Amino acid sequence: MGDCVRLDVDGGIATIVLDRPKALNALNTAMQDDLRAVSAEIAGRKDVAAVVVQGEGRSFAAGADVLELEAMSYTDIVDRSVALQAAFTALASIPRPTVAAITGYALGGGCELALCCDFRVAGEGARLGQPEILLGIIPGAGGTQRLARLIGPARAKDLIFSGRQVTASEALAIGLVDEVVPDDDVHDAARRRVARYVGGPAYALRAAKEAVDRGLQVDLMTGLEIERALFTGLFATADRDLGMRSFREDGPGRATFSGR
Ligand code: CO8
């Protein structure tokens, strides 16, 4: 792994830190590749129950590195865009609850990166947007797809056509973020939001995420089949036994899960 993305694991929570603060964590090629590697590592780790993604310094991430993009030819960008989407999809596919802790700017690829998480917590001073149109391009790391699915096509088109930045409070109103907190509480608030899943029924959480995410990509009947297969599969887990026995013996919500 390179030196622009850090991974810290503490108390069952992995923190991915984008660490290129002088460039507002602009996502250059090395960072994109690091992100893919770190996401693959987390997906395979048993000691990680949840994930926080955050930026070092005053911003989450101000987008892909525009200076690097400017120098790319058509064939360069064809190759790179495949790698970039694979990196973002690797993050989106981590089978654990994930949250983006957004301070400062989450623009372009930075906003798209936040969209790969299950939840978004923003500081009061945060600004989010898809300014690619101002560069003569469109979002290329999932922005036209994940953003429209999250906030609806008209609101997504407004942000993508105009390139305008939204404040944290507007982002909350349109469902782009889930929680707004004081700027200096963002990292702790994001951690609090996923800490509740540490010690949870890991395979049920994994199945829940997969059912929602895969179901959104298909028609309703296929989605219901995905749900049914994942639901029935959980009857093979130790945590299903523990959860139901605990209900019978001690009442609801008291189970201590094994993560198996
Ligand atoms: N790329 C490269 N460098 C950047 C970027 C960026 N996206 N954003 C900021 N920086 C650099 C600045 O150049 C500056 O560097 P230096 O100190 O060496 O001059 C430093 O970070 C600090 O930035 P500013 O001085 O501009 O700070 P301000 O607080 O005045 O402004 C802004 C902050 C508003 C974030 C401003 O920097 C800005 O508008 N940045 C560009 C935002 C943008 O356009 N993002 C979209 C990029 S395109 C994209 O993300 C496409 C994604 C899909 C790509 C697929 C590729 C395969």
Side-chain angles (χ1 to χ4, degrees):
M1 204 191 303
D3 52 8
C4 290
V5 176
R6 294 198 323 264
L7 172 63
D8 303 317
V9 179
D10 178 33
I13 300 178
T15 305
I16 298 174
V17 184
L18 310 171
D19 193 6
R20 206 183 159 219
K22 284 186 185 153
L24 304 184
N25 300 320
L27 297 150
N28 62 11
T29 302
M31 287 177 86
Q32 296 162 20
D33 293 343
D34 283 358
L35 196 63
R36 183 178 186 170
V38 98
S39 299
E41 180 184 335
I42 290 170
R45 279 181 72 153
K46 293 281 185 206
D47 60 338
V48 173
V51 182
V52 177
V53 184
Q54 65 190 51
E56 186 65 48
R58 68 181 169 103
S59 265
F60 179 73
D65 188 316
V66 178
L67 306 181
E68 215 180 57
L69 288 182
E70 188 188 8
M72 286 188 185
S73 68
Y74 169 70
T75 50
D76 290 339
I77 198 69
V78 168
D79 294 341
R80 179 38 45 188
S81 62
V82 171
L84 177 68
Q85 288 205 353
F88 279 34
T89 296
L91 174 63
S93 306
I94 293 175
R96 317 269 193 283
T98 57
V99 59
I102 303 171
T103 47
Y105 294 102
L107 300 176
C111 187
E112 291 167 305
L113 187 66
L115 290 169
C116 292
C117 294
D118 299 315
F119 309 108
R120 283 148 292 281
V121 174
E124 287 162 345
R127 295 283 182 279
L128 295 90
Q130 298 290 162
E132 288 89 343
I133 205 83
L134 307 175
L135 298 166
I137 57 173
I138 65 169
T144 64
Q145 303 304 304
R146 292 195 176 97
L147 185 62
R149 282 167 172 75
L150 184 69
I151 66 173
R155 284 173 172 152
K157 285 172 184 168
D158 168 38
L159 298 191
I160 294 166
F161 290 1
S162 68
R164 73 185 179 87
Q165 297 176 11
V166 298
T167 61
S169 60
E170 183 180 354
L172 184 66
I174 63 176
L176 179 51
V177 302
D178 305 289
E179 187 179 347
V180 177
V181 299
D183 288 322
D184 58 8
D185 190 35
V186 175
H187 296 162
D188 288 344
R191 199 176 163 86
R192 282 197 297 276
R193 181 169 270 263
V194 292
R196 64 190 72 158
Y197 305 117
V198 177
Y203 285 83
L205 286 164
R206 177 187 182 122
K209 176 166 178 165
E210 192 177 339
V212 172
D213 288 348
R214 287 180 59 198
L216 282 171
Q217 297 165 28
V218 297
D219 63 276
L220 177 63
M221 295 315 289
T222 308
L224 289 168
E225 267 312 301
I226 290 169
E227 178 187 81
R228 202 176 62 76
L230 289 163
F231 165 74
T232 54
L234 291 170
F235 280 65
T237 63
D239 283 342
R240 193 289 301 215
D241 295 341
L242 283 170
M244 294 193 179
R245 188 184 329 125
S246 168
F247 173 83
R248 176 168 44 76
E249 293 176 352
D250 304 319
R254 293 178 181 275
T256 302
F257 291 107
S258 67
R260 304 298 306 169

